[in-house]
Amino acid sequence: MPALTVGGFSMHFEDTGRGPHTVCLVHGSGGSSEVWTHQSRGLADVARVIAVDLPGHGRSGGEGATRIDDSVAAVHGLLDALGVTSVVLGGHSMGGAVAQAYALAHPERLAGLILIGTGARLRVMPKIFAELERDHAEGARLVSELALAERAPDDLKERVYRVTRAAPNRVLIGDFRACDPFDVMPRLGEIAVPTLVVCGAEDRLTPPKYAEFLRARIPGATLVLVLGAGHYVQLERPDETTAAFRDFVVALDRSRA
Ligand code: COA
């Protein structure tokens, strides 16, 4: 797994595939690049895919950010260091907040936007903070349970719990602190790149109402609602999610031709 020094610490990322576009994927609260394995593989013949570990997550160094804008700066720094000047930015949950904020801060760098299980406003239920502050393992258990459809298989529940628990508690709490004040609802009309919104129909953390809001307010955005999936739609329905990404990226090529 390669790494580059960004903002004084080592930032790790998976770098796979090749094609006319570079897709950069940003995980959500308590996540890591690991949550994109299926999508990275599935896009490898149509795009270069960079899946990042945000500061403090996965193998990256540094403390986790407690503001979305700090994660935007980290992603921007990494893409700069890689010489990527045009990117299709995808983000899950908190990563989707990073992607929206990036789109508003650096529109000239963006070729497209993929917003997965996220919203333009991400208020966090107080119980999540209370549980994480009381007991890391129990807090991670609550978060990972809410992050999957109720009928998700046990092995997936265990996998999501393992990923979430791997994030240090201060990092996990910092992620939710970054989400809680995030609100770009009034600014979505400024986003002027092709946008795909993907949401699990059973998402309990960022419900379909949030996805529908993104679709309605971002000019020209399309929404793919995935049946049977919760918040971790890319893990719960990997084939459908990857197919939606692929169709979107391939259509970008057609619209450019
Ligand atoms: N897109 C569209 N609508 C949204 C939205 C979004 N991103 N975020 C909030 N809203 C809507 C709500 O549905 C609500 O609409 P209503 O008045 O018609 O019911 C309204 O805006 C106000 O909601 P909110 O700002 O969330 O405040 P609240 O005090 O009603 O609820 C929570 C606070 C934390 C209970 C609630 O936000 C929630 O259940 N969040 C989801 C669970 C969670 O913690 N997710 C983690 C995200 S990282």
Side-chain angles (χ1 to χ4, degrees):
M1 190 180 205
L4 285 170
T5 301
V6 178
F9 54 82
S10 147
M11 200 159 159
H12 286 247
F13 55 98
E14 296 287 356
D15 191 350
T16 48
R18 53 187 300 179
H21 287 290
T22 297
V23 177
C24 175
L25 297 173
V26 184
H27 60 78
S29 299
S32 74
S33 55
E34 187 186 332
V35 303
W36 302 114
T37 311
H38 192 285
Q39 287 70 41
S40 297
R41 271 197 219 117
L43 291 174
D45 61 326
V46 294
R48 178 184 185 188
V49 184
I50 295 166
V52 307
D53 282 351
L54 287 172
H57 296 76
R59 296 193 199 173
S60 285
E63 295 293 311
T66 53
R67 296 179 337 138
I68 295 299
D69 285 349
D70 292 338
S71 296
V72 170
V75 170
H76 193 52
L78 178 69
L79 293 174
D80 263 352
L82 288 167
V84 174
T85 54
S86 171
V87 69
V88 178
L89 191 58
H92 176 235
S93 196
M94 175 187 74
V98 175
Q100 292 168 74
Y102 190 101
L104 294 168
H106 306 289
E108 72 291 347
R109 293 291 191 95
L110 217 59
L113 197 56
I114 309 180
L115 303 175
I116 308 109
T118 192
R121 175 176 163 88
L122 292 177
R123 289 279 309 278
V124 178
M125 58 175 86
K127 190 175 176 198
I128 289 181
F129 286 118
E131 275 300 275
L132 285 171
E133 272 152 20
R134 193 178 63 78
D135 183 283
H136 177 209
E138 289 302 313
R141 179 69 70 189
L142 172 68
V143 169
S144 52
E145 269 174 22
L146 288 170
L148 291 169
E150 276 176 42
R151 285 164 298 163
D154 288 344
D155 57 340
L156 187 55
K157 286 183 178 162
E158 248 349 271
R159 181 176 168 203
V160 166
Y161 175 62
R162 182 178 51 73
V163 169
T164 309
R165 205 184 158 180
N169 207 28
R170 65 175 194 290
V171 172
L172 200 47
I173 291 173
D175 286 348
F176 286 112
R177 288 217 176 105
C179 289
D180 203 34
F182 177 74
D183 185 354
V184 294
M185 279 181 157
R187 296 195 61 192
L188 292 180
E190 297 171 39
I191 296 177
V193 289
T195 299
L196 169 68
V197 182
V198 182
C199 180
E202 296 175 34
D203 190 331
R204 290 178 282 170
L205 285 175
T206 53
K209 177 183 181 181
Y210 291 13
E212 176 49 31
F213 188 89
L214 292 168
R215 188 209 59 78
R217 298 292 178 94
I218 299 175
T222 54
L223 167 61
V224 173
L225 193 65
V226 182
L227 298 180
H231 186 60
Y232 258 121
V233 58
Q234 74 271 47
L235 298 177
E236 296 178 78
R237 290 288 181 273
D239 292 340
E240 289 93 323
T241 305
T242 303
F245 287 17
R246 266 186 84 91
D247 291 349
F248 177 72
V249 171
V250 170
L252 286 178
D253 293 336
R254 269 195 233 109
S255 64
R256 242 176 23 159

